[in-house]
Amino acid sequence: MKEYGEDGKSRLAVLWTTADLEVIKNMVFMYAKNAKKKGWFDVVRLIIWGPSARALAVNPELQKMVTEMMDLGVEVAACRACAERYGAVEALESLGMEVLYIGEPFSDMIKSGWKVLAL
């Protein structure tokens, strides 16, 4: 996972924890995609944590939406501990995202001033 220093870039972490499809499509994905596409933030990172790992692993529509966001430049990372619990590691890695133990890197992001939106 890349780290950003004091470079003046605005940074947003969208912490995606829900498996609720309405919230995923109409809030989590909509905001993360547009935050990058429209330049609201320079760096946008979508973090998959908890039940969202299972939701993404089994839903081809969500997988397509996430890969489209990645193509726009949204960074995507998934919590390895959660992915292991849901048997989703291979499915998530096959989408081209980092799957790592995220607690410490996420804590560092908060400490370094990232804006965080948790859903």
Side-chain angles (χ1 to χ4, degrees):
M1 186 180 283
K2 289 193 257 181
E3 294 303 322
Y4 295 87
E6 297 299 320
D7 56 6
K9 290 184 179 180
S10 57
R11 299 177 309 266
L12 172 69
V14 178
L15 184 62
W16 170 26
T17 62
T18 185
D20 182 316
L21 289 176
E22 288 294 316
V23 175
I24 294 167
K25 292 178 186 178
N26 296 310
M27 200 298 146
V28 177
F29 285 8
M30 186 183 301
Y31 188 75
K33 177 182 177 181
N34 284 310
K36 183 62 180 177
K37 184 177 178 180
K38 297 180 185 239
W40 299 335
F41 288 87
D42 298 314
V43 180
V44 177
R45 186 174 292 163
L46 179 65
I47 300 172
I48 300 159
W49 204 328
S52 59
R54 179 184 55 224
L56 182 58
V58 300
N59 188 315
E61 180 185 14
L62 297 180
Q63 293 169 6
K64 182 177 186 238
M65 294 170 83
V66 166
T67 56
E68 288 171 355
M69 279 190 278
M70 291 169 69
D71 290 342
L72 285 173
V74 174
E75 299 175 2
V76 181
C79 172
R80 180 167 290 278
C82 299
E84 288 170 351
R85 287 183 185 139
Y86 293 116
V89 173
E90 288 182 28
L92 299 179
E93 287 179 336
S94 74
L95 297 172
M97 67 186 64
E98 276 189 282
V99 181
L100 66 155
Y101 296 105
I102 200 94
E104 186 174 352
F106 182 61
S107 296
D108 290 342
M109 290 168 60
I110 294 168
K111 291 175 189 176
S112 69
W114 284 67
K115 303 298 182 203
V116 177
L117 177 61
L119 302 155

